[in-house]
């Protein structure tokens, strides 16, 4: 796991955006795994800007979103489908047929989830997966005690996640759907490269447990310690509970020239 601590969330997002742009430029038909939430917003803004001003072309890119609330239609403003269109897809040139988001209205959840997994496989697997992290250590919506080998399936949100996400529902936690479809931890672990972003003091504990704690389903993100190519971009606030901070800075400052680009 490469841990990069930046002075603020803007510089972390800039680094992550450069990485995504580089991946898309070197493999125009890249398969991207995408996240919603507050964390990747600046990353999406930067990618939109690169598309509009630097010719970053998404016309062959395929995308798979991590998760969706069950019971919300794509046109519901709180759905992740709506979020992605508003904040990214409607501003870049990814063909509609290349966009995949779990269907929160599906009549048959198990068969939808199976087909989602198969679709990822048929696309050649996810080249680069963007992740945020929940304050309880979830990735996707894999809440604590999720199987570390799990695949796309239904999950029930923890009360902590419901409270954290109420801000997207006008602060009313009774409006947050309790059930979601999420890629599993096993699905996420199959991505060739993972880029995880985390900002703010609220994430500091989860970040420390993910990077330096034991691997445990109580902290689903800790499974990433097994992933061969995960880059974590965090701001100083989110790094506050790490023990090895100065080592991560030391490593980053001394990266061999040939490694700086990968
Ligand atoms: C979103 C997702 C979640 C979020 C996490 C952090 O698609 O899968 O794991 O990344 O809940 O959310 P924010 O970024 O809003 O703090």
């Amino acid at each position: 796991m490469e841990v990069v601590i930046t002075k603020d969330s803007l510089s972390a997002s800039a680094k992550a955006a450069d990485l995504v742009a580089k991946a898309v430029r070197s493999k125009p038909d890249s398969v991207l795994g995408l996240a919603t939430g507050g964390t990747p917003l600046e990353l999406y803004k930067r990618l939109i800007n690169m598309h509009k001003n630097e010719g970053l072309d998404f016309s062959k890119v395929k995308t798979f979103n991590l998760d969706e609330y069950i019971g919300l239609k794509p046109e519901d403003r709180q759905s992740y489908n709506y979020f992605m269109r508003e904040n990214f897809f409607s501003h870049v040139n990814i063909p509609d047929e290349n966009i995949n988001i779990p269907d929160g209205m599906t009549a048959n959840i198990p068969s939808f989830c199976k087909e989602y997994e198969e679709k990822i496989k048929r696309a050649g697997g996810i080249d680069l997966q963007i992740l945020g992290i929940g304050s309880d250590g979830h990735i996707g919506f894999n809440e604590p005690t999720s199987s570390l080998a799990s695949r796309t399936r239904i999950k029930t949100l923890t009360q902590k996640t419901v409270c954290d996400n109420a801000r997207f529902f006008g602060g009313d936690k009774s409006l947050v759907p309790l059930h979601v479809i999420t890629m599993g931890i096993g699905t996420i672990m199959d991505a060739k490269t993972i880029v995880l972003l985390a900002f703010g003091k609220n994430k500091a504990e989860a970040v420390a447990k993910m990077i330096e704690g034991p691997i445990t389903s109580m902290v689903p993100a800790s499974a990433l310690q097994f992933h061969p190519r995960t880059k974590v971009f965090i701001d100083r606030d989110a790094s506050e509970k790490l023990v090895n901070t100065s080592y991560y800075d030391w490593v980053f400052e001394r990266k061999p020239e040939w490694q700086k680009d990968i």
Side-chain angles (χ1 to χ4, degrees):
M1 199 183 281
E2 181 183 2
V3 181
V4 181
I5 304 167
T6 59
K7 67 175 186 328
D8 56 24
S9 61
L10 290 182
S11 19
S13 303
K15 282 189 195 304
D18 287 346
L19 220 133
V20 176
K22 191 163 180 277
V24 170
R25 288 201 166 102
S26 67
K27 184 174 182 255
D29 59 349
S30 284
V31 180
L32 303 180
L34 299 178
T36 59
T39 307
L41 278 175
E42 179 63 26
L43 161 68
Y44 293 143
K45 267 194 210 145
R46 284 176 186 261
L47 291 175
I48 293 166
N49 196 35
M50 289 179 190
H51 168 66
K52 295 205 164 135
N53 302 314
E54 296 165 24
L56 182 61
D57 180 20
F58 290 93
S59 63
K60 296 196 175 75
V61 163
K62 282 197 180 121
T63 66
F64 287 88
N65 260 83
L66 282 165
D67 39 22
E68 178 60 287
Y69 292 110
I70 291 175
L72 294 193
K73 301 191 199 77
E75 58 275 21
D76 282 330
R77 295 182 76 86
Q78 285 82 16
S79 75
Y80 283 171
N81 196 307
Y82 189 95
F83 175 100
M84 287 308 298
R85 287 178 201 281
E86 271 295 284
N87 293 300
F88 190 48
F89 295 143
S90 63
H91 309 282
V92 294
N93 63 337
I94 305 175
D96 256 5
E97 62 274 20
N98 288 5
I99 294 173
N100 299 280
I101 304 175
D103 177 4
M105 297 302 290
T106 180
N108 188 335
I109 294 170
S111 94
F112 176 86
C113 294
K114 194 163 175 269
E115 171 56 20
Y116 203 69
E117 287 279 332
E118 275 157 19
K119 220 169 171 187
I120 295 173
K121 233 182 257 162
R122 286 200 298 274
I126 291 173
D127 292 304
L128 196 162
Q129 175 69 55
I130 305 295
L131 292 179
I133 182 171
S135 62
D136 63 0
H138 70 227
I139 46 174
F141 269 140
N142 296 286
E143 297 286 32
T145 69
S146 286
S147 156
L148 300 185
S150 50
R151 312 301 306 187
T152 304
R153 71 211 183 291
I154 184 173
K155 278 302 286 180
T156 307
L157 297 182
T158 59
Q159 299 196 40
K160 191 166 203 300
T161 301
V162 168
C163 289
D164 284 350
N165 287 8
R167 71 192 195 279
F168 296 112
F169 292 79
D172 185 348
K173 58 182 186 179
S174 73
L175 297 178
V176 183
L178 297 182
H179 296 110
V180 295
I181 293 176
T182 180
M183 278 185 201
I185 299 175
T187 323
I188 293 170
M189 292 291 285
D190 283 348
K192 291 165 195 111
T193 299
I194 294 178
V195 172
L196 185 143
L197 298 166
F199 311 133
K201 288 180 195 294
N202 185 37
K203 301 291 172 73
E205 196 175 333
V207 163
K209 287 181 173 166
M210 161 180 76
I211 298 170
E212 296 177 342
I215 295 168
T216 164
S217 67
M218 283 302 284
V219 183
S222 66
L224 298 175
Q225 292 177 31
F226 272 129
H227 192 273
R229 209 175 138 73
T230 289
K231 289 167 185 283
V232 176
F233 294 103
I234 53 179
D235 64 6
R236 288 277 154 206
D237 283 346
S239 76
E240 161 172 280
K241 299 219 161 129
L242 287 167
V243 173
N244 274 337
T245 318
S246 55
Y247 176 63
Y248 309 130
D249 290 343
W250 164 270
V251 170
F252 185 69
E253 282 153 19
R254 284 158 187 79
K255 247 181 134 169
E257 215 41 57
W258 63 271
Q259 263 195 337
K260 286 200 169 135
D261 236 23
I262 54 176

